[in-house]
C-alpha cells in the first residue's frame, strides 16, 4: 500500500511539473519589436479614435451629397382670427374665421452659386485629410514604440554589464579580504572594495527600476491596460547586439524617398485645397440662387358668420380648396455688408500662409534626413572605436588582477581598472543604442510607416 501511494505521488509530481507549466505558459505573450508595432497598429486607442474620426468624414460626405437632392416637406397650420376693431367698409364678419392649411411641398435647387458642389468637394478633401492624419499618427506611434523598445533592451543590456561588474567586484573583495587577513594589504583596501561593490548594487537597483518604467511605457503605447498586462503576462523580448546594416542610399535618394512618403507635405497641400474651397464657397454667395418649387395645398376657411348680400339674403361663406402650384424662384443677395468679400479675403491670406508652411516643412524634412543619415554612419564608427577601448580595458583589468595577486600593485588599481572596463562597456551599450535609434530616426525621417526596418 505504501509503495502504491509513493507511485501515485510520483505520478502527480510529474503531472504537475510536465503538464502544468505548458498550460501556464499559454498565458504569456512574447512581444518582439515588430510584433509590438503590429499589435499597436491594431489595438492602440489613439489610432482607433482617429479611425472613428475618419468614419465620421464618410457621414459628412453623405450629408454634403444630400444638398443635390430635392427636399420634401409636409406642413399643417390651424389658426383662429378674431376681430377686435374694424373701420371702413370691412365688416368684422369677413374677418372672424378659423383657418386650416395642409400642404405638401417639393423643393429642388437648380443653381446655388456652386455652393453645393464646393461643399461636397471639401467634404471629400476632409476625408483625405483625416486619413493623412491617421498615417501621421501611425508614423509617430511606430517611432515611439521602436525607440522605447530599444531603450528597454539597452537597459537590460546594462543590467548584464553591471551584474558582470558586481561579480568581478565580489571576486576582488574576496581577494582583498584574503590578503588583509594575512596582513598583506591594509584593511582600507577592503573597505574601498566593499564601497565600490555597494555602489554597483545601487546602480543595478536603479537600472532594474528603469526597466519597469520602459515596460509600462510600452504598455501605454500598445494600449495594454494594467489588468491585461498582469493577466496575460506580457513579455518584451529582442536582441540587442551589433548588426551593421548595409545601407547604400545617398542623401539625395533619402530626401526623395522622404518627400514621397512623408505625410506632412500632403497634409498641408490638403489644407491649401480646403482653404481654396472655402474661398470659392464665400465667393459663391454673390451668385443668384435658383430653385424649383412644387406644392399641393388643402385649405379650409371657416367664417364665424354667414355672409349677407345687398338684398339682405344670407349665404355660406366657408371655403375649402385643394390646388397645386409649381414655379421657378430666383433670389439674388446683392449686398451683405461685405461679409462674403472679407471671408474670401481671409481664405486667400490663409492659402498664402499655408504655402509658407509647406516650404518650411520641406526644409525641415530635408534637414532631418541629412542629420539622421549622418548620425547613422557616425554611431557605427563610434562603436568600432569603443570596442577597441573595451579590449584594452579588459586586458588591463586582467593584468592588474595578476599583479595584485603577485603583490605588485594595490586593490585600488584593480578597482580602477574594473571601473574603466565597466565604463567602456557602458559606452558601447550607449553607442549601440544610438546606432539603433539612428536607424529608427532615419526610417522615421523617410516616412516608412509599414513596419519595415532599414
Amino acid at each position: 500500500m505504501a509503495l502504491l501511494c509513493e507511485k501515485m505521488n510520483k505520478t502527480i509530481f510529474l503531472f504537475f511539473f510536465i503538464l502544468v507549466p505548458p498550460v501556464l505558459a499559454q498565458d504569456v505573450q512574447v512581444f518582439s519589436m515588430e510584433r509590438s508595432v503590429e499589435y499597436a497598429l491594431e489595438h492602440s486607442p489613439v489610432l482607433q479614435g482617429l479611425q472613428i474620426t475618419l468614419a465620421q468624414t464618410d457621414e459628412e460626405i453623405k450629408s454634403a451629397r444630400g444638398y443635390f437632392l430635392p427636399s420634401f416637406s409636409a406642413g399643417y397650420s390651424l389658426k383662429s382670427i378674431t376681430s377686435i376693431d374694424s373701420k371702413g367698409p370691412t365688416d368684422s364678419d369677413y374677418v372672424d374665421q378659423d383657418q386650416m392649411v395642409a400642404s405638401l411641398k417639393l423643393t429642388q435647387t437648380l443653381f446655388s452659386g456652386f455652393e453645393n458642389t464646393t461643399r461636397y468637394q471639401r467634404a471629400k478633401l476632409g476625408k483625405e485629410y483625416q486619413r493623412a492624419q491617421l498615417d501621421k499618427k501611425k508614423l509617430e506611434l511606430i517611432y515611439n514604440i521602436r525607440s522605447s523598445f530599444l531603450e528597454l533592451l539597452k537597459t537590460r543590456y546594462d543590467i548584464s554589464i553591471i551584474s558582470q561588474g558586481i561579480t568581478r567586484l565580489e571576486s576582488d573583495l574576496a581577494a582583498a579580504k584574503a590578503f588583509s587577513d594575512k596582513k598583506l594589504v591594509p584593511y582600507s583596501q577592503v573597505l574601498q572594495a566593499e564601497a565600490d561593490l555597494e555602489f554597483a548594487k545601487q546602480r543595478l537597483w536603479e537600472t532594474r527600476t528603469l526597466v519597469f518604467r520602459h515596460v509600462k511605457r510600452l504598455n501605454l503605447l500598445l494600449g495594454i491596460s494594467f489588468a491585461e498586462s498582469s493577466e496575460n503576462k506580457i513579455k518584451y523580448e529582442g536582441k540587442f547586439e551589433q548588426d551593421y546594416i548595409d545601407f547604400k542610399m545617398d542623401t539625395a535618394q533619402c530626401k526623395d524617398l522622404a518627400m514621397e512618403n512623408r505625410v506632412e507635405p500632403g497634409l498641408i497641400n490638403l489644407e491649401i485645397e480646403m482653404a481654396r474651397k472655402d474661398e470659392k464657397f464665400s465667393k459663391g454667395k454673390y451668385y443668384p440662387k435658383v430653385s424649383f418649387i412644387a406644392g399641393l395645398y388643402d385649405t379650409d376657411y371657416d367664417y364665424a358668420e354667414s355672409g349677407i348680400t345687398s338684398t339682405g339674403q344670407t349665404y355660406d361663406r366657408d371655403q375649402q380648396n385643394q390646388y397645386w402650384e409649381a414655379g421657378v424662384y430666383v433670389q439674388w443677395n446683392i449686398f451683405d455688408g461685405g461679409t462674403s468679400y472679407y471671408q474670401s479675403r481671409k481664405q486667400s491670406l490663409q492659402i498664402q500662409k499655408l504655402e509658407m508652411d509647406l516650404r518650411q516643412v520641406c526644409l525641415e524634412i530635408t534637414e532631418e534626413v541629412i542629420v539622421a543619415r549622418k548620425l547613422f554612419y557616425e554611431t557605427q564608427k563610434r562603436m568600432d572605436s569603443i570596442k577597441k577601448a573595451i579590449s584594452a580595458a579588459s586586458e588591463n583589468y586582467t593584468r592588474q588582477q595578476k599583479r595584485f595577486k603577485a603583490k605588485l600593485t594595490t586593490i585600488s588599481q584593480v578597482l580602477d581598472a574594473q571601473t574603466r572596463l565597466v565604463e567602456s562597456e557602458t559606452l558601447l551599450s550607449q553607442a549601440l543604442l544610438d546606432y539603433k535609434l539612428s536607424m529608427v530616426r532615419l526610417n522615421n525621417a523617410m516616412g516608412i510607416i509599414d513596419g519595415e526596418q532599414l
Side-chain angles (χ1 to χ4, degrees):
M1 184 69 180
L3 181 61
L4 179 61
C5 292
E6 183 179 353
K7 290 183 178 180
M8 290 180 63
N9 290 336
K10 288 182 178 180
T11 303
I12 295 173
F13 180 83
L14 291 174
F15 174 81
F16 182 80
F17 283 95
I18 294 176
L19 298 181
V20 174
V23 174
L24 296 177
Q26 293 177 358
D27 295 332
V28 178
Q29 297 190 48
V30 178
F31 279 64
S32 64
M33 182 186 294
E34 294 311 313
R35 171 75 178 106
S36 300
V37 170
E38 294 172 359
Y39 185 91
L41 293 179
E42 184 177 354
H43 297 90
S44 170
V46 175
L47 296 185
Q48 290 178 350
L50 289 176
Q51 288 170 349
I52 293 174
T53 303
L54 180 61
Q56 290 177 337
T57 59
D58 288 328
E59 307 307 317
E60 291 179 4
I61 292 175
K62 295 175 183 177
S63 176
R65 190 186 298 129
Y67 284 92
F68 293 101
L69 302 177
S71 61
F72 185 76
S73 61
Y76 178 82
S77 65
L78 176 63
K79 62 181 179 180
S80 177
I81 302 176
T82 303
S83 175
I84 298 177
D85 186 25
S86 61
K87 296 180 180 179
T90 303
D91 190 336
S92 62
D93 293 341
Y94 292 88
V95 177
D96 296 346
Q97 58 185 281
D98 294 328
Q99 291 185 2
M100 184 278 293
V101 180
S103 64
L104 297 175
K105 184 183 292 186
L106 176 70
T107 304
Q108 173 65 62
T109 300
L110 301 179
F111 180 73
S112 62
F114 307 106
E115 288 185 8
N116 292 345
T117 303
T118 304
R119 184 185 290 109
Y120 178 70
Q121 292 173 345
R122 194 189 188 286
K124 293 176 66 176
L125 288 172
K127 181 177 181 178
E128 295 180 22
Y129 183 82
Q130 289 300 329
R131 184 181 288 111
Q133 286 281 19
L134 178 61
D135 291 339
K136 180 182 178 182
K137 184 58 67 173
K138 286 181 180 179
L139 180 64
E140 294 175 359
L141 185 62
I142 291 172
Y143 174 76
N144 290 331
I145 290 174
R146 287 179 173 173
S147 299
S148 298
F149 204 100
L150 289 173
E151 291 279 1
L152 172 63
L153 296 182
K154 186 260 183 185
T155 307
R156 288 176 177 169
Y157 188 76
D158 288 342
I159 289 177
S160 66
I161 293 174
I162 298 171
S163 299
Q164 292 173 10
I166 289 175
T167 301
R168 291 192 293 264
L169 286 171
E170 289 174 342
S171 176
D172 295 337
L173 176 60
K177 285 182 177 180
F179 280 98
S180 177
D181 292 340
K182 297 178 181 179
K183 308 299 181 181
L184 298 177
V185 297
Y187 187 70
S188 60
Q189 294 187 13
V190 176
L191 295 177
Q192 182 181 355
E194 288 180 345
D196 286 354
L197 178 60
E198 292 304 319
F199 287 144
K201 289 180 178 180
Q202 178 70 17
R203 186 182 172 196
L204 179 62
W205 181 83
E206 293 175 351
T207 308
R208 286 174 175 170
T209 303
L210 193 57
V211 168
F212 175 79
R213 293 175 58 184
H214 288 319
V215 169
K216 294 307 174 185
R217 170 65 175 166
L218 281 171
N219 288 344
L220 177 63
L221 292 171
L222 271 62
I224 298 175
S225 65
F226 176 78
E228 290 174 331
S229 62
S230 300
E231 294 175 359
N232 299 329
K233 299 179 181 179
I234 304 298
K235 186 177 182 181
Y236 300 102
E237 289 186 355
K239 295 181 180 180
F240 190 73
E241 56 189 19
Q242 183 175 334
D243 49 350
Y244 289 148
I245 303 299
D246 186 17
F247 184 71
K248 298 180 180 180
M249 292 178 62
D250 58 24
T251 304
Q253 291 173 323
C254 292
K255 177 186 172 183
D256 293 340
L257 185 60
M259 291 302 174
E260 180 182 349
N261 291 337
R262 287 291 287 268
V263 182
E264 291 87 341
L267 276 172
I268 298 180
N269 281 322
L270 287 171
E271 290 181 6
I272 292 174
E273 289 300 318
M274 288 190 289
R276 286 174 178 164
K277 297 302 179 184
D278 291 337
E279 181 184 20
K280 185 177 180 181
F281 189 85
S282 298
K283 291 180 179 179
K285 294 183 181 297
Y286 290 111
Y287 290 91
K289 308 298 187 293
V290 183
S291 302
F292 171 78
I293 300 178
L296 176 64
Y297 301 89
D298 184 359
T299 62
D300 188 357
Y301 301 100
D302 184 9
Y303 289 90
E305 297 183 9
S306 301
I308 301 177
T309 64
S310 58
T311 59
Q313 295 179 344
T314 61
Y315 65 93
D316 187 4
R317 293 190 292 114
D318 294 344
Q319 300 180 25
Q320 186 173 6
N321 301 314
Q322 291 182 348
Y323 64 94
W324 68 273
E325 65 176 8
V328 176
Y329 296 83
V330 179
Q331 182 180 359
W332 198 344
N333 186 11
I334 298 176
F335 181 71
D336 62 355
T339 302
S340 299
Y341 171 78
Y342 292 115
Q343 285 292 332
S344 176
R345 285 288 302 156
K346 175 184 176 182
Q347 296 303 327
S348 178
L349 294 173
Q350 178 68 8
I351 291 172
Q352 296 178 32
K353 188 260 183 187
L354 290 172
E355 288 174 346
M356 294 300 103
D357 291 345
L358 179 60
R359 290 180 55 187
Q360 180 63 28
V361 165
C362 291
L363 290 174
E364 291 175 356
I365 290 175
T366 301
E367 180 184 5
E368 187 178 348
V369 169
I370 293 174
V371 172
R373 185 178 177 276
K374 185 174 181 60
L375 289 176
F376 176 73
Y377 287 105
E378 285 186 350
T379 52
Q380 184 173 331
K381 295 177 181 178
R382 183 151 59 97
M383 280 196 299
D384 293 336
S385 176
I386 296 175
K387 286 175 65 177
K388 295 179 182 179
I390 290 177
S391 178
S394 178
E395 183 178 353
N396 180 48
Y397 174 72
T398 302
R399 288 176 178 271
Q400 292 296 339
Q401 274 189 321
K402 292 179 179 179
R403 286 171 59 83
F404 177 73
K405 292 178 181 179
K407 294 178 285 201
L408 298 176
T409 186
T410 65
I411 191 65
S412 298
Q413 291 177 312
V414 176
L415 295 177
D416 289 342
Q418 145 71 17
T419 300
R420 284 191 291 271
L421 177 58
V422 172
E423 289 176 350
S424 299
E425 291 174 337
T426 304
L427 286 175
L428 178 61
S429 172
Q430 184 62 46
L432 184 55
L433 173 64
D434 292 341
Y435 175 70
K436 290 182 174 293
L437 284 178
S438 68
M439 290 192 296
V440 174
R441 292 192 186 101
L442 190 52
N443 261 332
N444 186 70
M446 293 189 297
I448 298 176
I449 64 175
D450 56 0
E452 295 179 357
Q453 285 270 31
L454 285 175

